Amino acid sequence: MSDTSLTIENILAPELTLCRVAASSKKRALEFIAEQINHQDNTLSETQLFNNLISRERLGSTGIGQGIAIPHCRLEGLDHVVGVLMTLEESVEFDAIDNQPVDLIFALIVPKEATSEHLELLSQLAEKFNERSFCDRLRQSEDASTLYQRMTASGG
């Protein structure tokens, strides 16, 4: 891991790790993600972020099953990858592949000129989330700092 490849640790900021968010719907969860990213970097348009996330969802839900979603999109003018991790207070309908509502979300915003590196990151996330005990630990987090530590701890 000595190279500067994209890893979850590199792209997830503690400020964008949110615990037990109250979101009443998939749309509201995506709006909240856009708001949070905009709070961290006001050069990024909240509206554009939200529209891009919604457009990506229209192509097919990013709900990967077992209550997990990895919404993602490309963004014009972005020069780094932005990650947002959040657990929801209550699960929301997400049109997931297994029709289960979602309560664990990791959003990924990548530059318009996204490369295979970004796809690699998506597969890293999917792999991590494939581990039920790992997801349980994330869901049991009582606060954002615990959630952040559990997400970025190497080796689960």
Side-chain angles (χ1 to χ4, degrees):
M1 293 293 265
S2 58
D3 59 354
T4 55
S5 69
L6 288 173
T7 61
I8 293 160
E9 293 78 12
N10 294 346
I11 61 153
L12 182 64
E15 305 80 49
L16 288 174
T17 305
L18 310 148
C19 198
R20 301 182 189 268
V21 172
S24 51
S25 65
K26 174 180 183 172
K27 178 176 181 277
R28 186 63 201 112
L30 296 174
E31 280 173 352
F32 188 78
I33 290 166
E35 283 166 21
Q36 295 304 309
I37 294 171
N38 175 261
H39 284 310
Q40 290 307 309
D41 183 348
N42 59 16
T43 63
L44 302 176
S45 156
E46 190 178 313
T47 309
Q48 193 184 0
L49 281 160
F50 174 70
N51 289 342
N52 289 13
L53 284 167
I54 285 288
S55 297
R56 170 58 192 83
E57 288 298 323
R58 283 196 192 111
L59 299 176
S61 175
T62 55
I64 60 171
Q66 297 178 356
I68 300 157
I70 308 180
H72 54 279
C73 67
R74 295 169 190 249
L75 188 66
E76 193 79 60
L78 187 65
D79 61 1
H80 59 288
V81 177
V82 178
V84 180
L85 172 65
M86 64 187 202
T87 57
L88 301 181
E89 190 67 59
E90 290 183 28
S91 303
V92 297
E93 197 44 63
F94 221 89
D95 307 312
I97 52 174
D98 61 358
N99 293 317
Q100 295 299 308
V102 161
D103 66 345
L104 187 56
I105 298 175
F106 195 107
L108 204 55
I109 315 299
V110 300
K112 188 91 172 123
E113 308 72 39
T115 61
S116 58
E117 220 180 3
H118 300 112
L119 296 174
E120 174 57 36
L121 197 54
L122 274 174
S123 81
Q124 269 184 48
L125 282 169
E127 204 172 295
K128 258 180 140 53
F129 286 137
N130 213 3
E131 213 177 298
R132 177 151 269 165
S133 61
F134 173 74
C135 295
D136 289 344
R137 284 199 301 281
L138 294 183
R139 288 183 169 111
Q140 289 156 4
S141 303
E142 293 292 329
D143 56 55
S145 66
T146 306
L147 183 60
Y148 178 78
Q149 285 163 346
R150 288 178 178 170
M151 185 69 208
T152 55
S154 301

